[in-house]
Amino acid sequence: MGTAGYLICTGFSWIEGEVGVEVRAGEVSDVEAITDIFNFYIEHTNARFEERAFTLENRLSWFSQFSCNSKHQLFVATQDGELLGFACSQPYRDISAFEDTAEVTVYLASSAKRKGIGAELYRKLFNSISECGVHRVLSGIALPNDASVALHKRFGFREIGVFNEYAKKNGLYISSVWMEKGLN
């Protein structure tokens, strides 16, 4: 992590057709809005398995794992100062055998869906982490979520399998499809 809690990265991109949408490395000042997006999914969907909302302190600790010069990065999309979504790569497992594998995810604010923002976040993330030596990316998607499965397939992910009813939230069992893609 860079000085003063900011990720130091060069460059950003604009999303064609979405006026004023910028994709850039996440900064510590984004964590509150990221927490709000996470908490929407925790409270209103089965995309997150937690049953209690995240705290800002919890997400600040989580944010400390990201660095632009590492395999674990976080990018955000913003427009007019509003955070529309984020994508990140995180360790798959905390053992050396998996050091070239990352688990990836993308989350969008409700107002940002179906505008190409998730795709641009992933494009930026995958380009960046492939330059840092990530060999394979994995993603677990709680079902049903046709939009997320389609996005991952669009980026060349293939389905590995379904963990059927392996998680439980609010008294209901949840299944997830796991997908993977090679980067190098």
Side-chain angles (χ1 to χ4, degrees), residues 5-128:
Y6 290 90
L7 289 174
I8 307 300
C9 293
T10 58
F12 60 89
S13 60
W14 297 94
I15 299 175
E16 190 173 324
E18 286 298 316
V19 177
V21 175
E22 177 187 7
V23 175
R24 60 168 172 76
E27 301 172 351
V28 72
S29 60
D30 298 320
V31 175
E32 185 173 357
I34 289 170
T35 303
D36 291 343
I37 290 173
F38 266 133
N39 286 340
F40 173 84
Y41 285 92
I42 290 169
E43 294 167 11
H44 300 287
T45 76
N46 69 350
R48 297 290 313 179
F49 295 164
E50 297 85 1
E51 294 183 315
R52 292 192 184 125
F54 286 135
T55 65
L56 181 58
E57 293 75 25
N58 167 276
R59 293 296 88 187
L60 285 167
S61 176
W62 165 84
F63 179 80
S64 69
Q65 73 183 307
F66 301 110
S67 169
C68 289
N69 300 317
S70 81
K71 296 172 184 173
H72 309 120
Q73 300 183 29
L74 179 133
F75 288 91
V76 298
T78 63
Q79 183 177 43
D80 298 325
E82 178 186 357
L83 194 130
L84 303 175
F86 66 95
C88 63
S89 58
Q90 301 175 89
Y92 170 63
R93 300 252 168 102
D94 193 22
I95 58 174
S96 63
F98 296 107
E99 69 183 29
D100 294 338
T101 301
E103 187 171 347
V104 296
T105 193
V106 60
Y107 285 95
L108 299 174
S110 295
S111 64
K113 293 180 179 178
R114 303 193 188 284
K115 297 181 179 180
I117 294 169
E120 187 59 29
L121 283 162
Y122 258 178
R123 192 172 295 109
K124 184 79 170 176
L125 177 68
F126 296 152
N127 286 340
S128 187

Side-chain angles (χ1 to χ4, degrees), residues 38 41 46-49 88 90-92 101-107 122 126 137-145 148-149 152 157-163 166-167 174-181:
F38 266 133
Y41 285 92
N46 69 350
R48 297 290 313 179
F49 295 164
C88 63
Q90 301 175 89
Y92 170 63
T101 301
E103 187 171 347
V104 296
T105 193
V106 60
Y107 285 95
Y122 258 178
F126 296 152
V137 289
L138 312 174
S139 188
I141 303 165
L143 299 173
N145 191 337
S148 186
V149 170
H152 286 82
F157 281 75
R158 68 183 184 100
E159 185 176 320
I160 299 304
V162 174
F163 290 162
Y166 78 121
I174 303 166
S175 300
S176 288
V177 61
W178 277 84
M179 302 182 81
E180 60 129 22
K181 168 190 168 103

